[in-house]
Structure formats: C-alpha cells, structure tokens
Amino acid sequence: MNGQEGLSSASAFELGQNFQRINFLLQRLFLALSRREIRNPGVEGPGQPFFLRAMIGQAQGWMTNPMKAFNTHLQFWQNTTALYAELTQAMLTGAMQRKPAEGDDDARFNDAEWSKHPFFYYLRRQYQIMSAYLESLADTASTGEDEKHAEQVHFFTQQLVDLFSPSNFLASNPVAIKKAVETNGRSLVEGLENLVKDLERNSGDLLVTLSDPEAFKVGESIATAPGHVVYETELFQLIRYTPTTEKVYARPLMLIPPWINKFYILDLQPKSSLVRWLVDQGYAVYIVSWKNPREEMRDYGMDSYVTEGVLPAMQHVDGLHGNDGINVVGYCIGGTSLSITLAWLNKTKQPNPAKSATFFTALTDFEDPGPLKSFIDEGFISGIMIESQRKGYLDQKIMARTFSYLRPNDLVYGPAVKAYLLGEPRPKFDLLFWNEDSTRLPERMAREYLTHLYRDNQFSKDDFEIKGVKVGLDDIKIPHYVVACEKDHIAPWKASFTGLARAQGEGRFVLAQSGHIAGIVNHPDKKKYGYWVSDETPANLDQWRAGSEAHDGSWWPDWAQWLSRRSGKKIDAKESFPSSTPRLEPAPGRYVRE
C-alpha cells in the first residue's frame, strides 16, 4: 500500500512539474508567434482565383458527365455504409472481423491499434474512404481544357488529404495517446518544447526541424575532406582537395553544386563522400563553394552565375593545370548553369576549357518539371517577386517549405508527429542536416529562374539570353555523361533526359535508382541502389529504359571509367598540386559557413 501511495505521489509530482513546464512553454510559444513576419499571400498557398476555378471546373464536370459524378457519390456512400455495417457486426459479436483494405501498407498506420481498436480502425478506414472520394471529386474539376489547372487541383487536394490524416492529431493518434499516458504527459511536454524551439528557430514560421541541429558541425564532423581554397571571388570560393594517391590524372575534375544548397552534399561524412572517393581514384578534384547571398547581391542573375561564376572557375582550374582542358560536373541547378555556359561559349565561339561535361539530375527542359510545376503559377511567382524585391533575396525558408510539401508525409507530417506528438528527439542524420542548411537566392536570379526557365522554358526553345546572346540546348556540343534518378521529385528523370538528349557529342545516359540525393550520393561500398545505363540517346524514354543495361550497386565506378578515358595520363601528385599553388584557407572555407 505504501509503495502504491509513493508511486502515486511521484506521478502527481511529475504531473505538476509538467504543467509548470507547459505554462512556461506556452509563454515562449506566443512570443515566438508574435515575431512572425507578414508575407505576401501568394507564397503561402493558392488564392481565391484558384479555388473559384476549381469550383467552376467541378460544376462543369458534373454537368458534362453527370453519371461520373453520381457514381463518385454512390461509391462514397456504399463504402461508408459497408464500414458502419462492419463495425456494427464487431460490436454485436465482440470481435473485429477486419477485411483487408486499400492503404493497409500505409506507414502512418503501422501500429496495431489502428487495426485492433474499433474506434481507431473506424477513423483510419473512414479517412481512407474520404480520401478516395476527394480524389475522385478532383477528377471532375477538370474540363479537359486546362491540364495544368487540373494537375494543380489534384496536387492541392492531395495536400489537404495528407494534412487531415488522423495520425496527425493527438486525439486521433493511438500511439501518441498511449505514450502520453505512460509518461504522465512528459511526451506531450517534450513535444511542445520541440514545437516552440522550431518556432523560435524560424522567427515564428513553422518549419519542422528534420535533424538534430547540434549533431554535426561543418568542417569538423562533415565536409572534412582535406584541401584548400585556392581562388576566391565575391560569388564563390574554389576548393582543391589534397591528393591521396602518388599519381593523379593530368586533367582535373571540377564540381559545380547547386547554389540553393551548400556544396558539402558531395562531401558529407567520409563513408559517403563523393569527393573523397574521387580523390582516392586518382582524380585532381576541385569544387565550387557558392556565397550565400544577401541584399547586396540582389542584381545577380543567371548571366552573373555563368560569366562571373562557372566560367571563371573553369578558366582558373584550367590555368592551374597548363590550359590543357578540364572535366566538369554540374549538379541540379549547377548542371543547368553548366549547360547554359557551354551553350553560350559555343554560340559566341569562345574557347571552352571543358572537354567533357557530367550532369547530375539537371533540368534543362522545363516543359514537365514534376510536382513543382503545381506551385509555379502567376500567383506564386508574383508572391515570390514581391518578397524578393522587398528583401533583395528570396528567403531560404520559402524555398525549403515549398520543396518539403512536394513530399509532405516524409518531410512535414511524419517528422512533426514524431517531434510534437511523441516528443521524440530529432534524429542525427547528416543528409537531413545538410538539407536544412539551405541558402538564399538573389532577387534577380529567383525571378529569372522561375519565369524564364520554369514558366517560359526559354532555354529549351533556344531563346534564353546571356549577355545579349540567345542560347539553347542545340548549342551544347561536348561529350556528356548524364545521370538522372528514378524517383526524383525535384528533377524527374524523363525531364532530365529529354533536354540533355538534344546535346551533341558522345553521350552516355544513366538512370539511377532512388531519388534526387540518395541516387547521386550512393557510395559503392554500400552496395545499395542499382542503375540502368546505355550509350544510346534516349529519343523514346520508355524504349530506352527497356533496352538499357541493368546493374547492381553504384554507378560511380562506371562514371570513373568513362572519366578516366578523358583525363589524360597519370602524373606525380605533387606536380598536380605544387606548393606554389595559392592556399588561401583550409577547406571547407568560410563561404559554406555563412
């Protein structure tokens, strides 16, 4: 009896402590929310014109095809009635005779309570029925005349469906309820603290932190490949990595990462670093580290990144190695800028330091850029322009949130449930740490990228202007190695191949398994994702994939073999990186920390 009383007293004390913490955390929460800046509504979500068009489209769909609309409603009520009958039978018999249903493999409902407990089983099944109903309604919102609007309706319908999953709310999540009871509410207090910290970290904006922000430090636990900054401008630092082999290829390799992220995705921890692996294969490796822009760089556009970024970096590396040419890699928008640079050099008949080009998940034809096109309408573009004009740059939080909602269950709601409802600590995951270490975009660059490339697709139409000269995909004439990723939601593989298939010169095309990051950062030692490869230009994408050669494991060795034939003879490593080469500061440099 005394033991039970002691336990009860301890529980009561813990509850009291938790209530005190909640009171304190609520004060911090309201203070954090009060600091949130007011933004243009265009960047927050679709406006009234979008919903009005959706309603009109749905009404027109019902009028033109009333049987389809009738069947949609009928199916909803049939499924709902069947669910009620199933639950009634369970209550009468005292046992659940659950039938397998579509969506049973949904990771959000993995816990056994979603199937065993009648209440939570009903919530899950009714949610799945309602989701299917809303998606069917979205089908009727299309008149067939505006394909993009129809895709937007489907996209934002799915956003609503994902938002209102019962797993996202405390009262309807059995896992969260059970943990709260078992911990005397401590899990909810810790979840509230996680929420408050996210709001404070983002000045009142709710951006779910995906990884432990204290788990890694740039230059100490990630981005640690030895090297030095050998050249610097107002736009970028150029890093040369220290050789690890006695001999290196005479022709150097330069990597151009995207400037909407930090370069060290290619140099995370040693076990996954592409930079370290390339150095170990005997390549003289350079990488561009872009400056994180502020207001003073507001007038930097694509021509700036081409003529003041990519080109001088290539020329400097070429000069350090006797002007005998270099091999160049462009990743994501870094690949887009590389392709524009190559086209401009050819069109203006200037010397081109690049002897080969490799493209990692790079979009050059934006006709079908994947889910992101659902955001790129006039309302969103106008909102972005107003925001970037006001500050001189596009805030990284806007872009981070936009990309997160392309995969909301993985990058928003799933992490939010773990952090806020279950009170779990953030995982120590290097890739997610990098993902959150995002950058700003200069005002002109943001505007040009969204309008000239994404919206108007000017480069694919040979109509993109650099320094008064219009260039396009047909102006690229260089041996090329193209890597796209099968599950890429940012640069879909078919879109990546469609544009670069127009490049002239010897080409090799690789389709890697997995997504935009994991498909690229795929160290051979992991023996994880495979790939398909062919030297045939993919005119018909489905036929190309069917006829390509499948391989297990990483594509890195295939690429290294391709590179080796274009990298010249092996020379002494000290000759490749002599002591006379300027060493401004140790890698990873200071730009990546800004």
Side-chain angles (χ1 to χ4, degrees):
M1 189 72 175
N2 291 336
Q4 291 180 347
E5 290 176 357
L7 181 62
S8 177
S9 298
S11 298
F13 178 76
E14 184 176 17
L15 282 172
Q17 292 290 98
N18 287 336
F19 277 117
Q20 289 184 21
R21 287 180 64 191
I22 288 173
N23 184 54
F24 176 65
L25 287 169
L26 287 176
Q27 295 178 41
R28 286 172 56 189
L29 183 144
F30 293 131
L31 181 60
L33 289 174
S34 70
R35 293 171 178 165
R36 186 179 187 273
E37 64 175 321
I38 304 300
R39 294 197 183 94
N40 184 276
V43 302
E44 302 294 341
Q48 289 185 345
F50 169 82
F51 291 109
L52 181 61
R53 288 179 64 195
M55 292 169 60
I56 293 173
Q58 192 171 84
Q60 290 175 339
W62 288 348
M63 288 176 10
T64 57
N65 195 345
M67 284 306 298
K68 181 178 180 181
F70 174 77
N71 287 333
T72 295
H73 295 300
L74 180 63
Q75 186 67 47
F76 169 76
W77 286 112
Q78 285 178 336
N79 291 336
T80 300
T81 302
L83 176 61
Y84 280 128
E86 185 180 345
L87 289 171
T88 301
Q89 182 67 19
M91 287 188 288
L92 291 174
T93 61
M96 290 287 293
Q97 299 294 325
R98 194 177 72 82
K99 301 176 183 178
E102 184 178 349
D104 278 358
D105 59 347
D106 192 327
R108 293 174 295 180
F109 306 114
N110 276 347
D111 190 82
E113 288 298 316
W114 290 109
S115 298
K116 291 194 307 182
H117 195 288
F119 174 72
F120 295 113
Y121 173 69
Y122 164 76
L123 281 180
R124 177 175 69 85
R125 287 293 298 124
Q126 189 61 52
Y127 166 73
Q128 291 168 336
I129 292 169
M130 180 61 74
S131 298
Y133 173 64
L134 292 175
E135 289 165 6
S136 296
L137 288 181
D139 285 335
T140 65
S142 171
T143 62
E145 299 176 358
D146 190 342
E147 182 180 348
K148 180 175 180 179
H149 182 66
E151 290 173 346
Q152 286 181 310
V153 170
H154 276 280
F155 179 83
F156 287 111
T157 297
Q158 189 60 51
Q159 294 288 318
L160 287 173
V161 167
D162 291 337
L163 170 63
F164 287 107
S165 167
S167 61
N168 294 342
F169 303 94
L170 175 62
S172 53
N173 187 318
V175 182
I177 293 172
K178 182 180 179 182
K179 188 171 184 180
V181 172
E182 291 175 345
T183 62
N184 286 319
R186 187 179 67 254
S187 62
L188 298 181
V189 178
E190 290 171 349
L192 178 59
E193 185 163 15
N194 286 337
L195 172 62
V196 171
K197 285 181 178 179
D198 281 354
L199 289 169
E200 291 174 338
R201 190 176 291 116
N202 296 291
S203 303
D205 275 316
L206 181 54
L207 289 175
V208 184
T209 299
L210 302 178
S211 68
D212 182 352
E214 306 299 325
F216 302 96
K217 191 167 183 179
V218 175
E220 295 183 11
S221 51
I222 50 177
T224 58
H228 288 83
V229 174
V230 297
Y231 183 60
E232 177 180 314
T233 73
E234 293 182 355
L235 186 56
F236 70 91
Q237 288 186 319
L238 182 66
I239 298 170
R240 167 66 197 266
Y241 289 97
T242 303
T244 58
T245 56
E246 292 184 1
K247 298 283 187 179
V248 299
Y249 289 102
R251 180 166 290 163
L253 177 67
M254 190 184 87
L255 303 166
I256 306 169
W259 51 81
I260 58 175
N261 295 106
K262 302 292 182 67
F263 80 84
Y264 63 87
I265 184 59
L266 300 174
D267 181 32
L268 289 170
Q269 297 188 74
K271 61 183 179 182
S272 59
S273 171
L274 174 61
V275 165
R276 286 179 181 266
W277 187 84
L278 287 168
V279 172
D280 289 343
Q281 308 310 305
Y283 289 96
V285 179
Y286 293 80
I287 199 166
V288 172
S289 175
W290 299 104
K291 187 164 188 176
N292 194 0
R294 292 194 178 274
E295 195 277 336
E296 67 273 9
M297 292 178 63
R298 68 182 310 144
D299 292 326
Y300 280 64
M302 182 61 82
D303 57 357
S304 309
Y305 280 83
V306 166
T307 62
E308 300 174 40
V310 175
L311 182 55
M314 290 198 304
Q315 290 172 334
H316 192 81
V317 173
D318 193 26
L320 289 174
H321 290 261
N323 295 303
D324 190 38
I326 67 173
N327 297 311
V328 192
V329 182
Y331 190 177
C332 190
I333 192 175
T336 307
S337 62
L338 172 60
S339 65
I340 293 172
T341 304
L342 297 173
W344 184 68
L345 288 174
N346 180 66
K347 192 69 173 285
T348 57
K349 303 187 184 307
Q350 296 185 58
N352 185 358
K355 300 305 178 185
S356 80
T358 298
F359 299 93
F360 295 166
T361 62
L363 279 180
T364 53
D365 184 335
F366 292 80
E367 183 65 30
D368 186 13
L372 192 58
K373 67 181 174 182
S374 297
F375 283 98
I376 310 301
D377 62 8
E378 292 305 319
F380 182 74
I381 292 175
S382 297
I384 290 293
M385 287 183 178
I386 291 172
E387 283 300 306
S388 55
Q389 286 173 357
R390 182 168 64 90
K391 291 186 173 182
Y393 57 83
L394 178 60
D395 195 314
Q396 66 264 34
K397 288 185 287 189
I398 296 176
M399 294 303 293
R401 184 175 57 187
T402 300
F403 283 114
S404 292
Y405 278 97
L406 298 181
R407 291 171 51 202
N409 288 326
D410 294 332
L411 299 177
V412 181
Y413 304 125
V417 167
K418 291 179 180 179
Y420 305 153
L421 299 189
L422 303 179
E424 294 181 3
R426 318 301 174 125
K428 294 176 171 59
F429 190 6
D430 56 358
L431 197 153
L432 291 179
F433 178 91
W434 164 85
N435 185 67
E436 294 182 304
D437 190 12
S438 53
T439 61
R440 298 170 286 272
L441 272 181
E443 183 268 324
R444 185 160 74 92
M445 168 55 73
R447 170 165 39 89
E448 291 178 352
Y449 192 61
L450 289 175
T451 57
H452 298 342
L453 290 174
Y454 259 101
R455 186 189 66 188
D456 301 336
N457 200 19
Q458 290 181 357
F459 188 51
S460 177
K461 298 173 182 176
D462 299 328
D463 196 35
F464 191 83
E465 189 171 303
I466 296 291
K467 298 294 184 181
V469 177
K470 291 185 176 181
V471 299
L473 287 164
D474 298 319
D475 297 315
I476 302 173
K477 299 177 181 180
I478 191 172
H480 46 280
Y481 190 101
V482 181
V483 186
C485 296
E486 182 185 22
K487 297 180 180 179
D488 196 330
H489 65 291
I490 295 174
W493 76 270
K494 290 187 175 182
S496 295
F497 278 3
T498 297
L500 291 166
R502 287 171 54 184
Q504 299 180 43
E506 177 190 0
R508 187 166 175 83
F509 291 81
V510 174
L511 176 61
Q513 290 179 336
S514 197
H516 191 72
I517 302 300
I520 299 298
V521 185
N522 182 23
H523 198 286
D525 289 350
K526 294 182 178 180
K527 299 179 181 179
K528 195 169 185 180
Y529 303 115
Y531 64 97
W532 297 264
V533 63
S534 174
D535 288 329
E536 296 296 322
T537 300
N540 182 300
L541 296 168
D542 293 326
Q543 288 181 7
W544 177 90
R545 181 168 181 173
S548 61
E549 187 177 350
H551 293 269
D552 294 328
S554 175
W555 52 269
W556 290 9
D558 181 85
W559 176 49
Q561 187 176 16
W562 185 89
L563 272 179
S564 67
R565 299 194 297 269
R566 293 160 179 81
S567 299
K569 62 181 182 179
K570 289 284 188 77
I571 63 174
D572 189 87
K574 293 181 180 179
E575 180 185 343
S576 171
F577 196 22
S579 58
S580 59
T581 303
R583 288 164 168 79
L584 306 183
E585 60 179 306
R590 69 183 187 283
Y591 278 15
V592 75
R593 296 183 171 95
E594 294 178 351

